[in-house]
Amino acid sequence: MVDGLPEPKPAAPRSQFPPVQPYHPTTFQERGVAVPFTTPLLGGARARRAEQRGVELVIPNFTGGRGVYIVSGSSIAALCRPTLHDKILNSRIAELKSVTPGTIRRVGREIAAEGLAGEAAMAAARLAADADKDDRLVTNYQLLTTLIQQANLVPAAGPDAVASPALEIERRAMLTTAWVANHLGQSTAWVATALEALADVIQNFGLGSAMTVGRVPQLVGMLRKANAEIFEWGTTLGEKDQAANARTVSSVADFTLALADELLERTQALVKDVIGSLRDWSADPDALVRLAARPEWLLDGWEQICLIWNHAQDDAGRRAALVEIVGQVPILPKEVYEWCDARAHPDDGLRFQRLVGVNEDWCTGATIFNLIARNEQFRAMTWRGLAEAGSIPGLGLARTPETIS
Amino acid sequence: MRQGTPDRDRELRELRRDLIKASDHKIKQIVAELDHLANPVANRAVLDPIRSRLASLKPARPLRFARLFCTPIDPLIVPARDWRPGDPTIPRTVLASLAQVVRSRLGDEVSAIETIIAGHKTDAVQAITSAGELLWPRAAEILAVAVPPVDWPETGLRPAVFTDLAHAVAAVLRRAPQLRRLARQGAIGALPPDEQAVSDILANIAKEPPVACAMIVRLILTQSPHATPVLPRIVASIPGVTEKALLRQAMASATENVLADMESGPLITDEIGRGSLADAGDGVRRVITLLAELEQETDAAKHRPRLRVIRERLDQACRARFADGMRESLVAPLADAIGPVTQAGQIRLETCARELRALETAARKVGGSDCYDQMLPAAAEAVKAAAEAGNLTPVRTLRLIEILSGPEVAEVYYTRDAAR
């Protein structure tokens, strides 16, 4: 007893587990959104709106076999012993009206900023929140300058035009905004608000600025690098070893990357034609939001996989990492066919690969403390671009060359 | 470091005296400082009196050629006074000489190896693996045909011993990459034993001297005990009668050697009792796995009384290490804090709390539950006292409570804090 508090309750006996269910989602919504849990047994868990009400979790089979556990968000304590971070994260997710990669990311960052995932994640999450605001401002400014260039309206030269270029830009911005408002049959205030909303929607894509690289292009780069390494490493393995697993992971990643490139190109085209985007926004903002969100939905879950792979320091580490990764590779729902012309579906074999039986200590015994610490390091990396920094001081993480924030 | 002045000699004596009493964390800090200075004279003057403690504590040191060379045979190294010819062990005094023999005959390959290890420490897993794969097989070739070097008499051993030891070390180094892979996989714990790696290790083993075979088996037993059940299966599949008999003899000899070491030698007292807290949990897991595997053997009955004694010894060592670690690295820093704990301090405390929990979780398998059930709440009390003294923020308190007492207790604190 500590301070009169009750003793910790042990995790529920296995007989209380829900039945393992097959898992072939049709839509990305049905696939759910990867949740940044730190409890090792919840690795690869996804959240989605339940059919009735509330949020449910889709959790990969603990044994690495086929199927998933589908539990209501309030029941995870019956399945395992979640960390405090995960309990609070789970309760905040349950309050979300919309479960999307963006909303889960925001909630995850807020909880990390409270310090529940450790010191490094707290510092990084707070920095990321500030960086996010800056990114939104920069994106808004870039949209405006693109709009000015696109409209190409030149005001009559004022007396202070040469003396103050900033004033000149402001004058052109006002002129352009007025022209666009008139052109679209909207008010100038609507144009300003729409530009801000558009900045919110596309701020993750980077806009080709030299100053900021968007979160999504960074994730694509991170996945491309990890995928190349997995593929190359897989060619050194025998068929009795994990060569087939490496090949399957790599083929799903290849397909995902090809599609991500296509989707990113389409999304970034929105930015090149700001007038067209504003026109679309005035007609149906939701359609534009959905279009811009596709790359995030597609890539959701791959960041954790890249972090697991990058964390492996040697051959033995990579073998263990691949076992963990295979259970977490995001399944591509059939909805993906509506987004592109592709028909090949490379992950069909993935669920039925033979996975290596787990050691009794893996994820549950004395190693659990190290695994939680590792997952908390991942959370810190998610919130802080450590690509250049190398490692978190004091945590001694040896190798994770890239991340996104 | 200059020598000779009475003041300096007195300072050095005082420093050594303080060092003997210093905590593990302090020793690691001092070693890191001395390594940073890269002054061999100062290094020897300060560290020589605590060499045995360093051997147990294993702080991360700069990864130099000799340290890389010794990595695969490290668990076999014993003080020269404890070594007997025919034991599957290696006297510490021969290491520098053997490493120098290898280095002098490697030629241009030395620079390739030095390039890989430059700037790394002995905890750099990938650098050790990569450089080791270059060095160890070549070192085996060199040692297999080497003659005693001119400095061999400094080891205090007869010249004939050189050949026996060099051949035995060569046999281990020839298989060092596979032994390392097996041990790393066991440490990570997500995969079953790699039978192919064990087969590769045992391939052509009949050509090696019996003592070398026992060394190799001893390394598997102590570093990769999860692979122990694979050994008899592979031995049974070997067609040659002589080879099979040799391997059975090696297994028996290594098992006897490891059991004796656990009964009365330093394997438990040094590695767990006096070793680094960070490694203690893994060390206990390995010993427990080995004991469990030995109990499964067909002739386990003959070992049973000894295994009982070893379990009791392990239990005592775990309790003592836990109590020391808790007092030295958690309770004392919290009680001695003269202001709010810093970010770096909090990270150290959390790391210590995790290491304690890892040790305790593993150690409960050999007993001591009542003892840990008393000590963990005492550690949580120390956290609470530091919080009440204003040295821990609420979230830092929560984090430590969560690690020590579980997420359920931490949640109560979280809810209470949120309600305020």
Side-chain angles (χ1 to χ4, degrees):
Chain A
M1 298 281 274
V2 178
D3 194 23
L5 297 171
E7 290 293 338
K9 287 178 200 159
R14 296 206 166 221
S15 58
Q16 288 183 16
F17 279 14
V20 174
Q21 297 181 33
Y23 180 51
H24 297 287
T26 305
T27 65
F28 281 90
Q29 290 275 2
E30 190 188 342
R31 185 177 79 171
V33 181
V35 185
F37 286 131
T38 56
T39 309
L41 277 176
L42 296 177
R46 290 176 169 274
R48 66 184 187 191
R49 299 299 308 177
E51 275 180 25
Q52 304 298 321
R53 58 195 288 265
V55 171
E56 63 189 10
L57 296 174
V58 182
I59 301 169
N61 190 333
F62 297 149
T63 66
R66 68 179 73 184
V68 293
Y69 297 110
I70 297 174
V71 296
S72 77
S74 56
S75 305
I76 54 167
L79 206 60
C80 62
R81 194 181 185 193
T83 59
L84 178 62
H85 169 275
D86 291 356
K87 284 185 172 196
I88 306 301
L89 176 59
N90 192 45
S91 65
R92 304 258 175 98
I93 288 172
E95 294 165 6
L96 288 175
K97 286 184 182 146
S98 161
V99 180
T100 68
T103 55
I104 295 284
R105 193 169 55 250
R106 180 178 51 76
V107 173
R109 194 177 62 199
E110 284 168 3
I111 288 165
E114 285 182 37
L116 296 182
E119 296 288 313
M122 177 168 66
R126 289 175 181 178
L127 281 175
D130 293 341
D132 231 23
K133 284 181 202 155
D134 293 346
D135 281 355
R136 203 174 302 123
L137 269 178
V138 170
T139 308
N140 197 358
Y141 181 77
Q142 285 175 325
L143 278 175
L144 187 60
T145 49
T146 308
L147 183 64
I148 291 168
Q149 285 163 6
Q150 202 182 352
N152 198 23
L153 300 174
V154 182
D160 51 358
V162 179
S164 172
L167 203 64
E168 174 66 9
I169 289 174
E170 194 180 324
R171 204 197 310 257
R172 287 187 68 182
M174 286 171 66
L175 187 67
T176 304
T177 309
W179 179 82
V180 170
N182 186 42
H183 188 68
L184 297 180
Q186 302 281 2
S187 67
T188 52
W190 180 91
V191 174
T193 309
L195 280 174
E196 278 177 18
L198 264 180
D200 265 350
V201 170
I202 59 170
Q203 75 170 93
N204 292 324
F205 299 99
L207 301 187
S209 159
M211 288 170 62
T212 55
V213 178
R215 209 184 62 80
V216 173
Q218 268 198 322
L219 176 53
V220 168
M222 188 177 174
L223 175 56
R224 205 179 302 281
K225 184 171 174 294
N227 182 37
E229 288 177 5
I230 291 171
F231 179 79
E232 194 185 328
W233 179 73
T235 59
T236 67
L237 303 176
E239 283 306 309
K240 283 185 182 172
D241 205 343
Q242 297 185 61
N245 277 342
R247 236 183 358 252
T248 311
V249 171
S250 199
S251 67
V252 182
D254 278 340
F255 184 84
T256 304
L257 280 167
L259 187 51
D261 286 341
E262 195 180 323
L263 293 175
L264 264 178
E265 203 174 308
R266 281 188 219 166
T267 313
Q268 286 172 338
L270 295 173
V271 181
K272 291 177 185 157
D273 178 14
V274 182
I275 297 174
S277 296
L278 285 170
R279 187 183 301 115
D280 292 345
W281 188 261
S282 69
D284 185 359
D286 286 346
L288 211 143
V289 168
R290 281 196 301 273
L291 183 67
R294 283 179 177 180
E296 279 213 283
W297 278 102
L298 177 72
L299 293 163
D300 182 55
W302 282 101
E303 185 192 17
Q304 177 78 359
I305 286 171
C306 294
L307 289 169
I308 292 169
W309 178 256
N310 290 341
H311 184 67
Q313 297 179 57
D314 61 354
D315 195 64
R318 282 189 275 274
R319 281 167 201 276
L322 196 60
V323 172
E324 203 176 347
I325 285 170
V326 164
Q328 298 193 17
V329 168
I331 294 175
L332 287 164
K334 293 187 175 65
E335 187 183 10
V336 82
Y337 300 141
E338 295 169 18
W339 293 3
C340 66
D341 297 331
R343 284 293 170 266
H345 208 279
D347 72 353
D348 282 348
L350 199 62
R351 291 323 106 184
F352 309 105
Q353 297 272 332
R354 180 189 68 84
L355 297 185
V356 183
V358 288
N359 183 302
E360 61 168 329
D361 273 341
W362 177 246
C363 290
T364 53
T367 55
I368 197 169
F369 301 101
N370 282 337
L371 283 171
I372 292 172
R374 184 205 68 170
N375 289 344
E376 289 176 354
Q377 289 176 3
F378 288 172
R379 299 290 73 80
M381 290 172 172
T382 300
W383 307 124
R384 197 165 79 186
L386 289 182
E388 288 81 32
S391 69
I392 302 164
L395 287 182
L397 193 74
R399 178 173 174 269
T400 299
E402 287 188 42
T403 187
I404 55 173
S405 63
Chain B
M1 182 175 283
R2 283 188 295 269
Q3 294 178 340
T5 64
D7 282 353
R8 279 186 182 280
D9 286 349
R10 197 180 60 246
E11 282 171 14
L12 195 57
R13 275 199 304 276
E14 284 171 7
L15 180 61
R16 283 170 172 171
R17 202 172 49 237
D18 290 346
L19 208 50
I20 287 166
K21 292 186 221 154
S23 67
D24 293 352
H25 176 63
K26 288 250 168 59
I27 285 187
K28 284 180 182 173
Q29 278 183 316
I30 290 166
V31 168
E33 282 297 321
L34 284 169
D35 285 336
H36 185 65
L37 286 176
N39 179 340
V41 178
N43 207 308
R44 275 197 298 273
V46 177
L47 299 184
D48 273 355
I50 55 163
R51 289 283 170 203
S52 63
R53 193 161 169 202
L54 289 182
S56 303
L57 206 54
K58 293 187 175 63
R61 310 290 306 275
L63 184 55
R64 303 204 202 290
F65 183 89
R67 290 197 177 112
L68 176 67
F69 169 81
C70 291
T71 302
I73 53 176
D74 187 66
L76 304 172
I77 299 169
V78 293
R81 64 176 181 279
D82 295 341
W83 181 77
R84 301 282 175 277
D87 277 359
T89 56
I90 301 161
R92 187 176 295 281
T93 46
V94 306
L95 299 175
S97 188
L98 292 179
Q100 187 51 38
V101 167
V102 171
R103 189 184 174 100
S104 64
R105 288 168 176 72
L106 263 179
D108 294 344
E109 289 163 272
V110 171
S111 59
I113 292 164
E114 295 278 16
T115 303
I116 297 173
I117 64 177
H120 288 290
K121 292 201 165 191
T122 46
D123 57 0
V125 174
Q126 179 64 60
I128 291 174
T129 303
S130 305
E133 282 171 0
L134 280 182
L135 171 62
W136 299 323
R138 282 285 293 125
E141 287 173 21
I142 291 167
L143 288 175
V145 294
V147 293
V150 289
D151 65 350
W152 184 254
E154 290 172 21
T155 64
L157 298 169
R158 289 178 292 110
V161 174
F162 172 84
T163 309
D164 292 346
L165 277 173
H167 286 184
V169 171
V172 174
L173 293 180
R174 204 169 284 128
R175 295 160 175 84
Q178 292 87 350
L179 283 165
R180 181 172 173 78
R181 192 171 95 196
L182 196 63
R184 284 273 305 138
Q185 286 177 357
I188 293 167
L191 294 162
D194 184 344
E195 294 208 19
Q196 188 55 49
V198 181
S199 285
D200 292 346
I201 291 165
L202 299 183
N204 298 318
I205 200 165
K207 293 177 184 165
E208 308 291 2
V211 70
C213 296
M215 283 182 184
I216 291 162
V217 177
R218 188 190 151 113
L219 284 172
I220 295 175
L221 295 180
T222 55
Q223 293 199 296
S224 313
H226 67 299
T228 306
V230 179
L231 285 173
R233 285 210 297 273
I234 291 178
V235 173
S237 69
I238 292 172
V241 177
T242 315
E243 194 170 347
K244 206 178 269 189
L246 179 80
L247 265 174
R248 287 205 171 115
Q249 174 56 34
M251 282 166 59
S253 168
T255 304
E256 173 54 37
N257 184 266
V258 171
L259 283 173
D261 200 346
M262 288 194 289
E263 269 178 317
S264 54
L267 193 61
I268 287 174
T269 49
D270 280 13
E271 293 208 1
I272 293 160
R274 282 193 286 273
S276 155
L277 188 59
D279 298 330
D282 281 347
V284 175
R285 279 202 301 140
R286 278 199 302 273
V287 173
I288 289 173
T289 306
L290 177 60
L291 296 178
E293 295 302 342
L294 291 176
E295 277 172 351
Q296 297 298 315
E297 286 186 354
T298 47
D299 55 351
K302 70 175 181 188
H303 295 318
R304 208 152 280 148
R306 300 175 77 185
L307 295 180
R308 199 177 307 120
V309 172
I310 292 168
R311 281 180 179 277
E312 282 168 15
R313 200 164 183 242
L314 178 63
D315 179 24
Q316 293 304 321
C318 290
R319 292 181 201 214
R321 188 69 192 89
F322 185 94
D324 284 351
M326 186 181 118
R327 186 179 58 248
E328 190 182 89
S329 306
L330 192 76
V331 176
L334 283 170
D336 297 345
I338 48 172
V341 169
T342 61
Q343 186 189 48
Q346 175 71 11
I347 290 171
R348 262 201 310 278
L349 290 168
E350 286 183 16
T351 303
C352 169
R354 268 190 216 102
E355 289 167 355
L356 285 169
R357 289 303 313 271
L359 169 60
E360 163 259 338
T361 307
R364 279 180 191 267
K365 291 182 181 170
V366 286
S369 288
D370 292 350
C371 172
Y372 300 117
D373 287 345
Q374 285 176 357
M375 286 196 280
L376 279 170
E381 284 299 321
V383 171
K384 220 177 70 176
E388 281 165 6
N391 292 334
L392 283 172
T393 62
V395 75
R396 285 177 175 162
T397 308
L398 267 182
R399 292 272 304 164
L400 290 169
I401 292 286
E402 177 176 13
I403 298 168
L404 292 167
S405 306
E408 299 82 2
V409 180
E411 189 179 13
V412 177
Y413 279 85
Y414 181 85
T415 311
R416 189 188 294 172
D417 289 343
R420 278 178 189 162

